[in-house]
Amino acid sequence: MIIADGITAVGVEAIDMTNIDCLIAGSQKALMLPPGLAILGLSNAAIETIGSGVGYYLNLASEIKKQRQNTTAYTAATTLIIGLLEVLETVEANGGVEKLYEETATRALAVGSALEAIGLHIYPNSPAKSMTTIDDENAAEIRTLLKSDFEVNVAGGQDHLKGKIFRINQMGLISNYEMAWVVNAVELSLAKLGRRSYDGTANKIFNEITFGMSK
Ligand SMILES: *Cc1c(COP(=O)(O)O)cnc(C)c1O
């Protein structure tokens, strides 16, 4: 069985399901919901392998049986499921998943290019479309400034990357004006740190790519 962690991929880009038996997604990333809902996509082979399952509460067989009756095995996080329907309808109303993938890819390119243009370095070499990660000796200061001066909340690093990187989310439905504000705030933070004088380059590059590519 091939089990794939799609938590930062589902809702970000098309996934080739040909060889995947179980694709896992969570409510808290590109699906734009609070945490608490796990979503599994299972192949027929996976369902066969699960058979009558193992154990009691985490027995997928009981869940599959109940889902086939249009209900759940135990009390579900109904608020999140109702929220998920709302999210999917909103995505549909905004042109569907293909449009969402396209906009996410454009956003990834625009944010990455804007930040590189102001001298920042992207980590790793082939970044995911879900986020732009910057490794920088001032990562912690930039993050603090973004929050205190511009009300921009970006993620830091974990474990050995704590304090060494910051991560900008690109997943989900994000307005261009919001992202333009974020890259501009990063540029202003660099100016506040005395790293470079502000000239609006980040916004210029972001806008050129975003609006140059939109049809
Ligand atoms: C976010 C994420 C998870 C889950 O982490 P949480 O801290 O529970 O949100 C798992 N896998 C990947 C690839 C992720 O990006």
Side-chain angles (χ1 to χ4, degrees), residues 5 7-8 28-29:
D5 178 343
I7 293 177
T8 30
Q28 77 274 31
K29 302 276 175 80

Side-chain angles (χ1 to χ4, degrees), residues 30-116:
L31 298 174
M32 300 171 272
L33 289 164
L37 195 63
I39 300 146
L40 308 183
L42 300 168
S43 68
N44 289 331
I47 292 175
E48 217 166 278
T49 303
I50 290 163
S52 55
V54 189
Y56 190 71
Y57 284 111
L58 296 178
N59 192 330
L60 267 180
S62 338
E63 192 59 46
I64 292 165
K65 183 176 159 210
K66 288 295 178 180
Q67 296 257 338
R68 284 185 167 139
Q69 298 161 12
N70 203 24
T71 183
T72 53
Y74 306 105
T75 309
T78 49
T79 46
L80 291 173
I81 295 170
I82 294 163
L84 180 59
L85 177 62
E86 192 68 29
V87 165
L88 296 176
E89 283 175 353
T90 307
V91 167
E92 208 49 42
N94 278 275
V97 281
E98 294 306 327
K99 176 106 184 298
L100 177 65
Y101 297 158
E102 198 182 298
E103 286 180 351
T104 305
T106 302
R107 186 154 54 240
L109 180 66
V111 171
S113 307
L115 299 187
E116 276 184 322

Side-chain angles (χ1 to χ4, degrees), residues 36-209:
L37 195 63
I39 300 146
L40 308 183
L42 300 168
S43 68
N44 289 331
I47 292 175
E48 217 166 278
T49 303
I50 290 163
S52 55
V54 189
Y56 190 71
Y57 284 111
L58 296 178
N59 192 330
L60 267 180
S62 338
E63 192 59 46
I64 292 165
K65 183 176 159 210
K66 288 295 178 180
Q67 296 257 338
R68 284 185 167 139
Q69 298 161 12
N70 203 24
T71 183
T72 53
Y74 306 105
T75 309
T78 49
T79 46
L80 291 173
I81 295 170
I82 294 163
L84 180 59
L85 177 62
E86 192 68 29
V87 165
L88 296 176
E89 283 175 353
T90 307
V91 167
E92 208 49 42
N94 278 275
V97 281
E98 294 306 327
K99 176 106 184 298
L100 177 65
Y101 297 158
E102 198 182 298
E103 286 180 351
T104 305
T106 302
R107 186 154 54 240
L109 180 66
V111 171
S113 307
L115 299 187
E116 276 184 322
I118 54 171
L120 292 173
H121 181 257
I122 290 174
Y123 172 94
N125 286 334
S126 58
K129 292 186 182 78
S130 54
M131 67 187 82
T132 292
T133 300
I134 297 297
D135 57 333
D136 194 279
E137 54 178 4
N138 297 125
E141 289 100 320
I142 294 170
R143 226 182 128 215
T144 303
L145 277 172
L146 286 175
K147 184 147 196 186
S148 63
D149 293 22
F150 305 103
E151 293 179 50
V152 170
N153 217 345
V154 299
Q158 294 170 336
D159 292 333
H160 64 291
L161 291 174
K162 195 168 165 46
K164 295 185 174 153
I165 59 166
F166 65 90
R167 298 177 286 161
I168 299 174
N169 169 57
Q170 281 140 199
M171 291 176 266
L173 295 163
I174 302 174
S175 302
N176 290 328
Y177 73 84
E178 266 192 279
M179 220 35 152
W181 171 256
V182 170
V183 296
N184 189 53
V186 173
E187 183 174 345
L188 286 166
S189 299
L190 291 185
K192 278 180 185 263
L193 289 169
R195 290 257 301 257
R196 73 189 286 290
S197 52
Y198 179 81
D199 60 6
T201 296
N203 253 182
K204 178 177 186 291
I205 301 296
F206 177 85
N207 287 342
E208 275 176 8
I209 294 173

